Amino acid sequence: MERPDGLGRWMPGLELLRRRRGEDLRRDVVAGAVLAALLVPQGMAYAQLAGLPPVTGLYATLVPLVVYFLLGPSRILVLGPDSAVSPLVAAAIVPLATAGDESARVALAGLLALLVGSIMLAGGFSRFGFVTELLSMPVRLGYLMGIAVTVIVAQLPKLFGFSTDAESFLRGVRDFVAGLDETDPTALAIGVGSLVLILGLRRVAPKLPGVFVAVVGATAVVAALGLADEVPVVGDVPAGLPSFGLPDVSFDDLKTLVPAAVGIAFVAFADTSVLSRSYAGRLHEEVDQNHELAALGVANIATGFFQGFPVSTSSSRTAVAEDIGAGSQVTGLVGGGILAVLLVVGTGLVHDLPQATLAAIVMVAVVGLIDIAGARRLLDWRGSEFALAMVAFAGVAVLGVLWGVGIAIALSLLNFIRRAWHPHDAVLGRVDNLKGYHDTERYPDARQVPGLVLYRFDAPLFFANADFFRERVRALSRAGDVNWIVVAAEPITDIDATAGETLRDLKDELDAMRVELAFAELKDPVRDRLRRYGIETAIGSDRFFPTLGVAVAAYLDATRVDWLNWEDRPPDA
């Protein structure tokens, strides 16, 4: 499909309104009507998960749908409240608001959305869309599992018909057990029935919207039997569209929320980026992740101005949109339009919706975050990666969602640094009937040229690993009668200033030991850095070789080693 230019490139929705016609448009409208049935209960449930009144979930669903229709680069991505982001919102705003003060929570959540959106928008314009790649898959798996079990424990009291104020997994378990004597059997029956219905329909009739069926059924039961005064229900939902306004909060609250906003922005865009790239691949399209980040930022900013809270993309609602035939963001616009009509004229329809059913919806949604199969694969593939996932899981479960996510992000970065700090390295030699030079540990029969060490270092050289590199080279230079050490530098993609100074010191030490230092296969941009550092001059430009084979030949010519002592001429590899 030809990509639009000009305004249509940055506002794809305008191009859609001009081009979408006929059967494609009809299919999008039908898909939007079906999607709306899922948006209402999930939006309300995720609002409660965020510690906010249910109606704010409808606002935080409606506004992003409209904004993303206009700006979103992905064809069928659905924005709105999310099971991974809502607990982060609650962890950020609940401690700052007076107990029971819903208006303060709404204002704080709106400010949080503005901060998250501003961070995302700035990141999109600065082309920082790549930053989410810093969150490794094992750590992401672990923190999502931690969020899931924390949310499930937090929703159990609502399922049983009572409430607690626990914000962490351990305290949630304690408070739930302590409050079991307050269980409301009627609410529990409705909640468990909703769970069974949703999960059962998902298994036997996946095409049916189980969440919608459960909501309609539970609400009808409460209304028909007059149970609204006996079990906790949603109650009165303010009618009308959300009003525009700047959240009324203090400057101290703003400063307190900034770290949480950074974490939420990171997590929200990480999920959005993964989902966006996955669907782009399936639809054979390309999506600019910087555009995606900016669009998500604007959606959050708009939501903050209209009494909402931070949003992300939803894998479940996007999957539903795809399954029911959505082909463009017109589906989201139609779903948002129906939601707007409900807010204006139909909020009474959800008055008798049981809180236990909303808890069941949330629990079903977050169960999908518990990837047992993925954890098993990690355990089989690499024990250290599994350990990272479990540490991230424990961080969320024990320390709370925000601290846990912070630990998860830090673990991703530290794991990268750890691997680069002490990377794999190898001494290389010749192997019979195998071209090139290979690791002597993997090939114990590999032959080495007398007096020559070929040393490969499999990472960039930077401040954290420069001393490790120097110690390894020094140790190799003392291991026997060594004349030259040639660094097989093809894996070295960068050398920072600290490493440059270390190389200068290493050169002086090797000179004192009468050992020559040389490089082979060094990339031109990296060699340019060594030239600027003055290291190329110190080592000598004649000690930089295009290939290992040329370096070996130069060594043999310089030292007059007898070819017969090494059986055959080394390859130019």
Side-chain angles (χ1 to χ4, degrees):
M1 186 174 65
E2 188 177 315
R3 297 182 64 180
D5 295 324
L7 188 60
R9 178 185 175 189
W10 296 105
M11 300 187 71
L14 298 180
E15 194 74 12
L16 269 178
L17 290 176
R18 188 170 65 87
R19 292 189 175 186
R20 205 70 173 169
R21 294 288 185 274
E23 180 62 23
D24 290 340
L25 180 61
R26 187 195 69 80
R27 190 164 54 246
D28 285 345
V29 170
V30 172
V34 176
L35 181 64
L38 181 64
L39 296 176
V40 174
Q42 282 201 342
M44 298 174 71
Y46 291 154
Q48 289 202 315
L49 182 57
L52 296 163
V55 71
T56 61
L58 303 184
Y59 301 158
T61 301
L62 167 62
V63 175
L65 287 175
V66 176
V67 172
Y68 197 80
F69 163 77
L70 291 171
L71 303 177
S74 297
R75 193 197 301 180
I76 62 171
L77 226 56
V78 178
L79 261 62
D82 179 62
S83 57
V85 171
S86 292
L88 305 181
V89 176
I93 67 172
V94 170
L96 299 180
T98 304
D101 189 350
E102 287 190 342
S103 61
R105 290 188 182 185
V106 171
L108 289 167
L111 175 62
L112 191 58
L114 291 175
L115 291 172
V116 169
S118 299
I119 292 167
M120 289 179 167
L121 185 60
F125 282 127
S126 302
R127 308 196 65 79
F128 275 19
F130 67 90
V131 297
T132 57
E133 297 170 9
L134 298 175
L135 193 61
S136 66
M137 183 272 285
V139 172
R140 185 172 180 272
L141 180 146
Y143 89 71
L144 286 178
M145 290 176 66
I147 285 175
V149 298
T150 302
V151 167
I152 289 172
V153 167
Q155 294 301 309
L156 279 174
K158 296 178 182 178
L159 192 75
F160 279 64
F162 62 95
S163 62
T164 65
D165 295 324
E167 299 170 18
S168 65
F169 173 75
L170 296 179
R171 185 181 170 189
V173 171
R174 184 195 67 191
D175 290 357
F176 171 66
V177 173
L180 281 174
D181 58 346
E182 301 176 34
T183 298
D184 184 325
T186 305
L188 179 60
I190 293 172
V192 172
S194 300
L195 266 177
V196 171
L197 182 60
I198 295 170
L199 294 174
L201 287 178
R202 180 174 291 183
R203 178 174 291 273
V204 302
K207 294 287 185 181
L208 288 177
V211 170
F212 181 70
V213 173
V215 166
V216 172
T219 304
V221 167
V222 170
L225 299 181
L227 300 176
D229 294 330
E230 297 182 26
V231 298
V233 296
V234 169
D236 294 328
V237 174
L241 297 175
S243 58
F244 178 87
L246 186 67
D248 183 15
V249 295
S250 69
F251 183 70
D252 287 339
D253 287 336
L254 186 151
K255 291 190 297 182
T256 303
L257 288 175
V258 168
V262 172
I264 292 172
F266 196 97
V267 170
F269 184 59
D271 284 347
T272 299
S273 178
V274 170
L275 198 63
S276 171
R277 287 182 295 197
S278 298
Y279 276 94
R282 289 168 62 174
L283 298 173
H284 307 291
E285 296 180 338
E286 290 185 9
V287 174
D288 182 347
Q289 292 304 305
N290 296 299
H291 186 174
E292 192 78 84
L293 179 56
L296 185 59
V298 175
N300 272 279
I301 290 172
T303 305
F305 280 124
F306 285 97
Q307 300 170 264
F309 54 90
V311 298
S312 179
T313 51
S314 167
S315 56
S316 61
R317 279 162 283 178
T318 301
V320 168
E322 180 189 39
D323 192 54
I324 57 183
S328 76
Q329 286 298 328
V330 170
T331 294
L333 183 66
V334 172
I338 294 174
L339 185 55
V341 172
L342 173 70
L343 281 168
V344 172
V345 301
T347 55
L349 295 174
V350 297
H351 179 278
D352 293 333
L353 173 59
Q355 296 280 5
T357 296
L358 288 180
I361 294 170
V362 171
M363 292 170 72
V364 171
V366 299
V367 162
L369 301 179
I370 303 176
D371 188 357
I372 300 298
R376 286 176 177 168
R377 285 196 301 272
L378 278 180
L379 185 59
D380 292 338
W381 292 346
R382 193 167 188 174
S384 61
E385 300 274 20
F386 175 79
L388 279 174
M390 292 303 99
V391 171
F393 168 80
V396 174
V398 175
L399 299 178
V401 175
L402 282 178
W403 275 105
V405 169
I407 288 172
I409 295 171
L411 280 176
S412 284
L413 297 175
L414 288 174
N415 191 39
F416 166 76
I417 294 172
R418 178 186 66 82
R419 291 177 179 171
W421 197 334
H422 286 170
H424 179 267
D425 59 354
V427 174
L428 308 179
R430 286 289 307 282
V431 179
D432 290 337
N433 302 316
L434 194 60
K435 184 178 180 181
Y437 298 87
H438 303 277
D439 188 342
T440 55
E441 287 191 8
R442 287 184 174 271
Y443 298 91
D445 296 332
R447 292 171 284 110
Q448 295 177 256
V449 183
L452 173 65
V453 175
L454 302 178
Y455 174 59
R456 191 183 71 215
F457 189 78
D458 294 338
L461 261 175
F462 67 114
F463 64 91
N465 63 23
D467 283 337
F468 172 76
F469 174 84
R470 181 173 67 178
E471 291 305 316
R472 291 288 287 133
V473 172
R474 290 172 62 187
L476 290 170
S477 68
R478 291 192 292 262
D481 188 13
V482 176
N483 298 316
W484 280 29
I485 292 182
V486 176
V487 179
E490 194 273 337
I492 299 177
T493 55
D494 191 24
I495 299 177
D496 72 2
T498 303
E501 284 300 301
T502 302
L503 283 178
R504 188 188 304 276
D505 294 340
L506 177 61
K507 167 64 177 169
D508 293 340
E509 292 177 76
L510 293 179
D511 284 347
M513 300 167 65
R514 298 183 180 279
V515 176
E516 289 281 349
L517 177 65
F519 286 82
E521 301 178 349
L522 188 67
K523 293 176 171 60
D524 287 339
V526 183
R527 186 173 178 180
D528 290 342
R529 289 194 180 279
L530 292 186
R531 188 175 294 121
R532 287 195 292 273
Y533 298 156
I535 306 301
E536 183 187 62
T537 301
I539 294 174
S541 59
D542 60 336
R543 291 295 182 259
F544 289 82
F545 301 101
T547 68
L548 280 174
V550 173
V552 172
Y555 168 76
L556 293 170
D557 291 340
T559 58
R560 299 175 183 252
V561 170
D562 189 350
W563 284 109
L564 296 178
N565 290 337
W566 202 46
E567 299 184 12
D568 60 326
R569 188 173 182 83
D572 183 12

